[in-house]
Each structure stands twice: as C-alpha cells, then as structure tokens.
Amino acid sequence: KLLVAEDDPYKHMFLSMEHDEGVCEVRVLPALGMEQFARMIYEYGESWLKDNGYSPRCHLQEVEVSEHGANSAYVRKVPYYE
C-alpha cells in the first residue's frame, strides 16, 4: 500500500500507477505528518476497542509514532474527572 497526501503534487502520477500499471495500492489521506499519523492510529485503536467489545473496560492511553530518532509524535488521552 502506498499512502499519498491529498495535496501531493504527484498524486495523479501515483493514482495512475495504481490504475494503469497495477504496481501499487494507493490510499489518499488528508495529511501524512507524524502528528496526523499518531491521531489516525489513536482513533483507529479506540474504534477497534469499542467495536470488539473491550471498551470501556479497556482504553487506549497513548500512541507514539516515530519515523526516526528526530521525528516523532504522540497522542495522549487526557483524563476526565467529574
């Protein structure tokens, strides 16, 4: 699978490689930064827990995504107290 940003100037080329050549499976996403990946993975994990009957007994506390030592991002659940 090949992830391509919605605003990528070469998006048409990647989509053509998928459609015409069949060399890749393209997924177009709104953004591809580390922050966006962390948010997407967090939301997917929360949905998976809910869809599979684990929530609210289990919850996702934090997701960290790292490209390399100098580029990473995380999403952390902020506790809610009444």
Side-chain angles (χ1 to χ4, degrees):
K1 291 189 179 115
L2 176 63
L3 302 177
V4 177
E6 180 67 46
D7 62 350
D8 190 305
Y10 297 105
K11 180 177 78 171
H12 67 283
M13 183 180 72
F14 295 121
L15 291 171
S16 173
M17 288 187 338
E18 175 186 42
H19 184 265
D20 299 337
E21 307 297 326
V23 297
C24 59
E25 196 174 320
V26 176
R27 296 291 181 255
V28 178
L29 300 174
L32 293 180
M34 287 290 102
E35 295 82 4
Q36 183 66 21
F37 268 125
R39 182 176 296 118
M40 287 186 320
I41 297 301
Y42 184 89
E43 291 171 358
Y44 178 84
E46 283 282 290
S47 292
W48 186 90
L49 288 172
K50 184 178 178 183
D51 294 346
N52 289 282
Y54 294 106
S55 181
R57 183 173 52 91
C58 297
H59 67 273
L60 188 56
Q61 187 65 37
E62 180 177 296
V63 168
E64 182 174 5
V65 177
S66 177
E67 184 177 18
H68 49 73
N71 189 15
S72 66
Y74 69 91
V75 173
R76 180 178 296 151
K77 184 175 187 169
V78 177
Y80 174 74
Y81 301 103
E82 289 188 30

